[in-house]
Amino acid sequence: MTEEKKRAGVVEWAGLAVLVLPCVLASMDMAVMFITLPSLTADLGPSGSEQLWIMDSYGFLLAGLLITMGTLGDRFGRRRVLLAGAAAFGVASVLAAYATSPGTLIAARMLLGIAGATLAPSTLSLIRSMFHDSAQRATAVGIWTAGFAGGAVLGPIIGGLLLEHFWWGSVFLINVPVMVLLLILGPLMLTEHRDPAPGRFDLPGAAMSLVAVLGVIYGVKALAEHGFGWTPLACCAAGLAVGAAFLRRQRKAANPMIDMRLFNTRRFNLPLLIDALATFGLVGFSLFNWQFMQLVLGMGPLESAVWSLPTFLVMPLGIALATAAAPRVGKPNVIAAGLLVATAGYLVLALLRADSGIVHLVGGMTVVAIGIGAVSAVVTEVILSAAPPERAGAASAMAETSAELGGALGIALLGSIGTAVYRSELTAKAPEALTPGQLDAVRSTLGGAVETAAALPGSTAESLRNVAFDAFARETRIAAVALAVLMSGAAILIATLLRTAGSPAEHRDGEGAAEPRSRAAAS
């Protein structure tokens, strides 16, 4: 039996359980801030700009440093980088929990982002090294994917429960025992893996990758939050320019951070694109999903988080079906089928109206989650398999970076389209009794409309709420239709182009064309 086909045993599966723990926490730490912000704002009194930095600094640095941390894992050892990141994550969690000023909390969140950037590429690349059998690796990647998805859903629920009994810092302290457990079990249950001949570390390249990703993500988020502006456009342009320079440098560098030959094969670049598109839809539509539950249906944060549980609970079903079907029907067909299932879910959501109710919304999102779960698990495994084992860290980082960019673009583009539709509807249909100041508030956001309606007389308030809710439902339907078209187009793309990217054996086993070339080059 070859090394590539050696099947994992009890030790590897137990090690996978250890690897999933930090993934759940890293995902929770991004989601929990939405429910924690009001409490910490009342205690620390941050300004508006400080609130934004408290919310965004974690995600910005995490996304910007993924490629660097993945490369460091390949160079110095993935287990070593993971454990160092876990220790830093635990320390930063304590600092965040006991922060006494907005500046201290922002600094702690930045340290959390730096530490969090080590977790995803290290854990995913260790899975690549631990699971040589492609079917087992696909299952392991599926469990890893479910861990990240679960953290995003459980974050608001656990945060809400903690805030009912403790102060806001408790949402950070729950990270500490898990990280201590990882530091104890990691050396016992995880074996070290690294590139045996890494070459010199490309420090200028690392700085360029950070600037490129930060510039694009900051610019896109600023456009989504504040609309058109020259500053965010300049940030996007600068990020893209530095990114182009980074890629040129990687093509010429003797020891590049990213093996650019991987992008010459569809087995790598197409799955990266699909990964970004899937995240584009799931994260982008969450902007409408949460607002519909809390503002249109009047739910509180904890109640809406509980109603989002079915979306998480069915995702493992999609993952399990996909990993079981992939060896039989081929990974391109499974990815295409998952995208079509997601299309069906978005079409259900395209029928949503202001009076549709929670079952309609959750039902559509549940179908979407099954499809996206299937896509994410298989696509991530294909990306890992396309890269040689010694560059698994960099490949994992590329997968995570594409997902981060996809999510940021989803919020920005779908949010911009929705805002335009909403403002147009409110401008044409808002009650005439509103003052110019009130009209500006209700045209700005749905939250502004709900707040304004609360201060108006009964009939005017009811009329305003009806118009605002109908306008928001219309923008939600338009976003759902756009995503249905996008997912169905991606299904056609992956079914036609990825199927021709390698032999049938490659599609079943998951070994892409780039890996043999890299091994040949290394020898």
Side-chain angles (χ1 to χ4, degrees):
M1 183 177 292
T2 63
E3 179 66 19
E4 285 81 358
K5 301 302 177 184
K6 179 183 176 182
R7 292 182 63 81
V10 175
V11 174
E12 286 78 12
W13 289 109
L16 175 64
V18 174
L19 292 177
V20 170
L21 289 176
C23 298
V24 173
L25 285 183
S27 183
M28 281 178 55
D29 226 57
M30 297 185 73
V32 76
M33 288 305 298
F34 291 102
I35 198 170
T36 309
L37 187 63
S39 297
L40 68 85
T41 298
D43 186 21
L44 300 181
S47 64
S49 62
E50 287 174 331
Q51 286 186 36
L52 291 176
W53 277 108
I54 289 171
M55 293 293 295
D56 293 337
S57 56
Y58 175 82
F60 283 163
L61 284 172
L62 187 147
L65 289 170
L66 282 169
I67 295 175
T68 297
M69 295 304 182
T71 304
L72 289 176
D74 289 339
R75 168 176 294 273
F76 297 111
R78 291 145 197 167
R79 186 183 70 177
R80 179 178 297 173
V81 170
L82 172 63
L83 296 179
F89 203 91
V91 171
S93 297
V94 174
L95 294 176
Y98 293 101
T100 57
S101 68
T104 305
L105 182 56
I106 291 170
R109 290 281 290 169
M110 294 176 72
L111 181 56
L112 280 169
I114 295 171
T118 68
L119 302 180
S122 296
T123 53
L124 192 52
S125 57
L126 281 169
I127 289 173
R128 174 68 174 88
S129 301
M130 292 162 57
F131 294 88
H132 302 285
D133 180 80
S134 62
Q136 288 188 320
R137 185 168 60 241
T139 301
V141 170
I143 294 171
W144 180 89
T145 303
F148 262 105
V153 175
L154 292 175
I157 297 175
I158 294 176
L161 292 174
L162 287 172
L163 290 174
E164 286 186 3
H165 300 91
F166 306 101
W167 95 113
W168 58 265
S170 61
V171 303
F172 296 108
L173 287 183
I174 61 172
N175 298 333
V176 177
V178 177
M179 291 304 167
V180 171
L181 185 64
L182 175 59
L183 291 172
I184 295 172
L185 296 180
L188 300 175
M189 306 181 70
L190 303 173
T191 56
E192 186 61 282
H193 297 274
R194 62 169 62 89
D195 185 347
R200 177 179 294 182
F201 180 67
D202 184 11
L203 184 59
M208 293 172 72
S209 70
L210 174 63
V211 172
V213 175
L214 282 181
V216 172
I217 289 186
Y218 173 79
V220 167
K221 286 179 68 70
L223 287 171
E225 292 173 0
H226 308 297
F228 177 84
W230 290 111
T231 299
L233 283 179
C235 289
C236 288
L240 291 173
V242 175
F246 169 74
L247 294 178
R248 286 197 300 270
R249 179 182 178 86
Q250 296 306 294
R251 291 190 182 97
K252 298 177 181 178
N255 300 294
M257 297 177 65
I258 299 173
D259 187 352
M260 296 301 293
R261 291 172 296 182
L262 289 171
F263 291 95
N264 295 332
T265 171
R266 294 174 186 170
R267 297 283 292 160
F268 187 79
N269 54 33
L270 273 180
L272 275 180
L273 174 62
I274 297 301
D275 195 25
L277 290 177
T279 312
F280 176 96
L282 193 63
V283 175
F285 198 82
S286 67
L287 185 69
F288 303 92
N289 180 41
W290 286 98
Q291 288 189 84
F292 195 93
M293 285 193 288
Q294 294 187 18
L295 297 177
V296 177
L297 299 181
M299 294 182 178
L302 183 57
E303 184 183 4
S304 58
V306 171
W307 271 105
S308 68
L309 268 178
T311 302
F312 161 66
L313 294 176
V314 301
M315 189 169 280
L317 173 62
I319 293 170
L321 291 174
T323 53
R328 296 174 175 82
V329 302
K331 293 174 183 176
N333 291 329
V334 171
I335 296 171
L339 290 168
L340 290 177
V341 171
T343 299
Y346 286 124
L347 289 176
V348 171
L349 294 168
L351 301 175
L352 193 70
R353 298 190 177 278
D355 58 353
S356 293
I358 188 61
V359 174
H360 188 155
L361 177 65
V362 173
M365 288 302 301
T366 297
V367 176
V368 170
I370 293 174
I372 297 301
V375 171
S376 298
V378 178
V379 159
T380 303
E381 200 279 324
V382 171
I383 293 171
L384 282 181
S385 299
E390 64 271 14
R391 303 309 299 270
S396 303
M398 287 299 299
E400 287 302 300
T401 302
S402 71
E404 291 287 339
L405 290 173
L409 286 172
I411 292 175
L413 296 181
L414 293 178
S416 297
I417 294 172
T419 298
V421 172
Y422 176 83
R423 287 177 176 172
S424 175
E425 289 280 306
L426 265 293
T427 299
K429 300 178 181 179
E432 296 181 357
L434 297 181
T435 66
Q438 291 173 331
L439 182 59
D440 288 340
V442 302
R443 289 178 66 249
S444 178
T445 63
L446 178 61
V450 172
E451 185 177 349
T452 300
L456 293 175
S459 60
T460 305
E462 184 68 19
S463 175
L464 174 58
R465 278 192 289 265
N466 289 338
V467 170
F469 292 165
D470 287 341
F472 186 78
R474 182 166 184 259
E475 70 172 275
T476 302
R477 292 194 298 272
I478 291 174
V481 170
L483 290 173
V485 172
L486 186 65
M487 294 300 127
S488 59
I492 296 172
L493 181 72
I494 207 77
T496 54
L497 295 183
L498 188 57
R499 184 181 289 121
T500 63
S503 67
E506 287 174 351
H507 293 309
R508 289 192 300 271
D509 297 339
E511 302 300 330
E515 184 170 343
R517 286 204 304 272
S518 299
R519 286 175 177 167
S523 61

